[in-house]
Amino acid sequence: MAAEIVNQKDGLESDVIDPAFALHRGGKMAVQATVPVRDADDLSLAYTPGVAKVCSAIAEQPELVDDYTWKSQVVAVVTDGSAVLGLGDIGPGASLPVMEGKAILFKQFGGVDAVPLALDTQDTDEIVDTVQRLAPSFGGVNLEDISAPRCFEIEARLKEKLDIPVFHDDQHGTAIVTLAALRNAAKLSDRALGSLRAVISGAGAAGVAIAKILVEAGIGDVAVCDRKGVVSRDRGDLTQVKRDLAGFTNKGNRTGSLESVLEGADVFIGVSGGTVPEEAVARMAEDAFIFAMANPNPEIHPDVARKYASVVATGRSDYPNQINNVLAFPGVFAGALQVRATDITEGMKLAAAEALAAVVADELSADRVIPSPFDERVAPAVTSAVAAAARAEGVARR
């Protein structure tokens, strides 16, 4: 890889060959002051002695930290580098370009400042302890690219310990966007969510969260499959997370392989990788919905999916209906921070999905069941819906 970074020409080192390296040189973000420091008067207000007045006021009334620092406007983007995009366990240093990218997407699409924090540990206790100690500096925590099943425990423990929103985007961002797209696919075909039977390939972070939000939204039934087949109550090899999953999914108590349970299913949702045989896809219900979201290779290639499905979505930007988390997390955090929420609840996630779906509800087609990330209506709609839901659910502090 290092040999690909620079081009040796005429004995001189030229600029970077790959434009990705050119763009990343020096990093993708920087800290910028919001107040001027032009002279001694500015300095005395921004720093000593003026700053002491503000510090003393916060010491007496701790809640003032939200008004007189950036705390209520900034999110920590936290990873251990164990499950980075499609790259896997590449470690904290190698994860930083992704975390920087996440931070600039927060700013670009939600107006939210974010700081990437790559932790040099994969120990659950150490991650929880570290984030808890850092929390006074932030208004929210976005957990990112932490492998399952540790991600479930880390999020749950931090939500219990902290009074600021904690959100594992690999789980909930994916779930919100998936539900929004499914709502519109159902609307387009004049079907109700309650009439649909879905199959999810993948019982990791995204698969579990998608199953939860679909059940919350009233899906008819959903079965989740891991490498050994359907997650069902009669399996004796399940982790605690999968036992819990079996408890609220698979009402039909189906067993067997992914291919067998896919027969007659209305919806396929792929968050696992691998390839689903075309003969199994052909046995799905008529006018099925196929959301094959593995990157870069969808579980069902769009050319195959279109033979059998009325709506096809992927995780890729070069096909219609991209299920992209950037449609959710900027607005979710912007809404939560706006009202200084103590949590991001299931109701707030459902509200985000409904608002996202509504953005293109009057423009629906088979190739447009979800907005583009660059649709300027997205973040304001999600922000407003999440803030209102936070107030309705009693987790807003203003």
Side-chain angles (χ1 to χ4, degrees), residues 29 58-59 83 190 196 198 201 251 260 266-267 287 301 370:
M29 57 186 295
I58 294 170
D190 198 27
L196 301 177
S201 175
K251 290 188 294 189
S260 65
D266 302 290
V267 184
D287 293 328
H301 193 280
I370 200 75

Side-chain angles (χ1 to χ4, degrees), residues 64-113:
L64 292 179
V65 69
D66 289 316
D67 293 312
Y68 293 105
T69 72
W70 78 336
K71 174 182 167 69
S72 64
Q73 305 168 65
V74 66
V75 170
V77 180
V78 178
T79 190
D80 63 358
S82 62
V84 179
L85 294 177
L87 302 174
D89 186 356
I90 59 175
S95 76
L96 265 179
V98 177
M99 300 310 118
E100 287 184 2
K102 195 80 173 190
I104 65 174
L105 295 180
F106 264 110
K107 189 67 172 180
Q108 173 75 20
F109 293 103
V112 173
D113 289 305

Side-chain angles (χ1 to χ4, degrees), residues 133-144:
R133 292 176 185 276
L134 290 168
S137 296
F138 298 97
V141 175
N142 182 94
L143 299 173
E144 189 76 19

